[in-house]
């Protein structure tokens, strides 16, 4: 841990109380002017620190930015965000960055996070609205020992983790729509973009991208009717860091089940949280579009869909819209 982070830790341990320059100087064995330089940097990062020549330093408030140190402080995960958090104030797309890092050999658990995306991407070439400090835009790297076909299960698993987080922290009633939409009152509050690199039948890496509209107060015209945020639904602003930490913690607990091949409870939870069985819909796949009735999802997370002429289709990947 660098000097700046050690000073921050000391101020956090004494949050709300003054810490004298003398005691910091003694503990860290650095000069008073060096302390001052580090404190100035912390202030530049958004920490509200009071300083007084007589009393020393007092940490009043941490920044709302998703700084790696703030994410790690209170993070209850074993590997997610533990092996590197790559932070950007602004970036094209966290999925893009995570894929580049994964290709360079970054380990499982590496987390890429930002305050704003200029080219945030959704599934099927859509864009993801990513305004400055309003939402959570993150991607992480996984290196599961699975066949490529199983990757879609990780998308479902992530959706369940996000839904559980929203249920426990915001009490919103969330509904999952196969495969990657998290909805509140029919509008999208979060989406997942899983991207995969394979070699023959081996998965090199999976990048899971999550966009979660936390405090977003307005959406562009073209998506306004379909998008929402926690703030717009509750009228309350939420701590992005708290939501993010909980999402990662819950994801990890489900991922651990997935790795143990104990996926059934996760699927059951997905089924409970989605209300699609018996509803009529349009499924768009790369092989074509079909209208019919949703029958459910099978043990592999594949959508079961009957097309009205007695034919049952298994849809591994596609887009479902209710009609
Ligand atoms: C979808 O619903 O179509 C998926 C949306 C995924 C958006 C997130 S935001 C962070 C990550 N980076 C991206 O470019 N996309 C994902």
């Amino acid at each position: 841990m660098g000097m700046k982070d050690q000073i921050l830790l000391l101020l956090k341990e004494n949050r709300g109380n003054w810490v004298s320059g003398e005691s910091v100087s003694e503990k860290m064995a650095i000069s008073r002017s060096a302390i001052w330089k580090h404190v100035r940097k912390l202030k530049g990062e958004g920490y509200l620190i009071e300083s007084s020549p007589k009393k020393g330093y007092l940490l009043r408030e941490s920044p709302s930015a998703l700084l790696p140190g703030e994410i790690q402080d209170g993070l209850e995960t074993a590997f997610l965000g533990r092996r590197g958090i790559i932070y950007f104030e602004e970036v094209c797309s966290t999925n893009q960055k995570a894929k580049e890092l994964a290709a360079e050999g970054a380990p499982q658990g590496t987390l890429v996070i930002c305050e704003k995306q200029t080219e945030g991407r959704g599934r099927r070439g859509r864009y993801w609205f990513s305004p400055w400090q309003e939402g959570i835009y993150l991607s992480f790297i996984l290196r599961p020992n699975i066949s490529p076909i199983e990757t879609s299960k990780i998308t479902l698993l992530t959706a369940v983790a996000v839904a559980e987080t929203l249920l426990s922290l915001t009490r919103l009633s969330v509904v999952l729509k196969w495969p990657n939409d998290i909805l509140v009152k029919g509008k999208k509050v979060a989406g997942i973009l899983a991207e995969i690199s394979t070699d023959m039948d081996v998965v090199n890496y999976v990048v899971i991208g999550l966009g979660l509209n936390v405090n977003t107060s307005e959406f562009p015209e073209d998506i306004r009717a379909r998008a929402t945020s926690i703030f717009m639904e509750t009228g309350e602003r939420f701590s992005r860091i708290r939501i993010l930490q909980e999402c990662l913690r819950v994801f990890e607990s489900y991922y651990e089940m997935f790795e143990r091949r104990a996926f059934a409870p996760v699927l059951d939870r997905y089924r409970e949280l989605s209300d699609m069985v018996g509803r009529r819909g349009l499924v768009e796949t790369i092989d074509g579009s079909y209208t019919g009735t949703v029958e459910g999802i099978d043990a592999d997370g594949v959508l079961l869909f009957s097309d009205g002429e007695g034919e049952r289709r298994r849809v591994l990947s596609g887009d479902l819209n209710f009609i």
Side-chain angles (χ1 to χ4, degrees), residues 7-8 10-25 28 30-43 47-61:
I7 294 173
L8 178 59
L10 194 67
L11 295 181
K12 278 185 174 172
E13 282 166 1
N14 293 280
R15 199 186 278 269
N17 295 309
W18 288 95
V19 181
S20 74
E22 203 179 351
S23 68
V24 183
S25 169
M28 314 253 155
I30 55 168
S31 69
R32 304 280 282 269
S33 69
I35 299 169
W36 168 240
K37 278 186 196 144
H38 289 303
V39 167
R40 206 171 48 197
K41 269 199 198 136
L42 288 169
K43 285 183 176 176
Y47 290 93
L48 207 72
I49 300 171
E50 275 181 43
S51 30
S52 137
K54 284 210 180 109
K55 295 190 265 186
Y57 302 101
L58 177 138
L59 175 63
R60 284 249 177 252
E61 225 178 276

Side-chain angles (χ1 to χ4, degrees), residues 93-95 117 120-123 128 138 180 188 191-192 210-211:
S93 148
T94 55
N95 261 43
Q117 291 183 123
R121 292 181 286 115
R123 289 174 75 243
W128 189 260
L138 68 80
N180 72 326
K188 191 149 162 171
I192 297 148
L210 167 68

Side-chain angles (χ1 to χ4, degrees), residues 77 79-80 108 140-142 153-162 164-165 192 206 208 244-258 266:
T77 58
F79 73 90
L80 267 185
Q108 162 152 296
F140 51 80
I141 298 171
L142 300 172
K153 289 183 186 169
I154 307 180
T155 301
L156 303 187
L157 184 164
T158 312
V160 175
V162 175
E164 296 283 23
T165 301
I192 297 148
V206 178
I208 297 292
L244 161 64
Q245 288 172 332
E246 184 63 3
C247 265
L248 298 182
R249 186 189 72 77
V250 181
F251 173 90
E252 237 191 51
S253 64
Y254 284 127
Y255 188 68
E256 192 257 330
M257 291 163 80
F258 169 73
V266 184

Side-chain angles (χ1 to χ4, degrees), residues 238-292:
F238 278 78
S239 154
R240 291 181 305 154
I241 290 201
R242 180 74 197 92
I243 291 179
L244 161 64
Q245 288 172 332
E246 184 63 3
C247 265
L248 298 182
R249 186 189 72 77
V250 181
F251 173 90
E252 237 191 51
S253 64
Y254 284 127
Y255 188 68
E256 192 257 330
M257 291 163 80
F258 169 73
E259 282 191 311
R260 277 193 288 114
R261 308 280 184 256
F263 195 59
V266 184
L267 268 181
D268 285 343
R269 193 64 183 125
Y270 190 96
R271 292 185 184 109
E272 275 168 24
L273 290 165
S274 60
D275 67 346
M276 40 184 203
V277 176
R279 289 181 72 180
R280 286 194 56 74
L282 171 73
V283 172
E284 291 173 82
T285 73
I286 45 166
D287 304 324
S289 305
Y290 316 97
T291 46

Side-chain angles (χ1 to χ4, degrees), residues 157-215:
L157 184 164
T158 312
V160 175
V162 175
E164 296 283 23
T165 301
L166 296 185
L167 285 171
S168 71
L169 296 186
T170 71
R171 295 174 189 277
L172 281 172
S173 19
V174 284
V175 170
L176 299 180
K177 183 164 79 69
W178 186 89
N180 72 326
D181 291 352
I182 293 104
L183 310 175
V184 175
K185 294 194 203 133
K187 289 185 172 186
K188 191 149 162 171
V189 72
I192 297 148
L193 179 66
E195 297 192 83
I196 173 174
S197 154
T198 58
D199 225 340
M200 304 292 281
D201 209 23
V202 176
V203 170
N204 292 326
Y205 63 80
V206 178
V207 163
I208 297 292
L210 167 68
L212 176 50
N213 304 325
V214 181
N215 296 321

Side-chain angles (χ1 to χ4, degrees), residues 305-321:
F305 196 72
S306 67
D307 68 3
E309 279 151 38
E311 185 142 348
R312 181 188 249 194
R313 293 184 186 278
R314 296 182 82 245
V315 187
L316 181 62
S317 163
D319 237 20
L320 166 69
N321 281 301

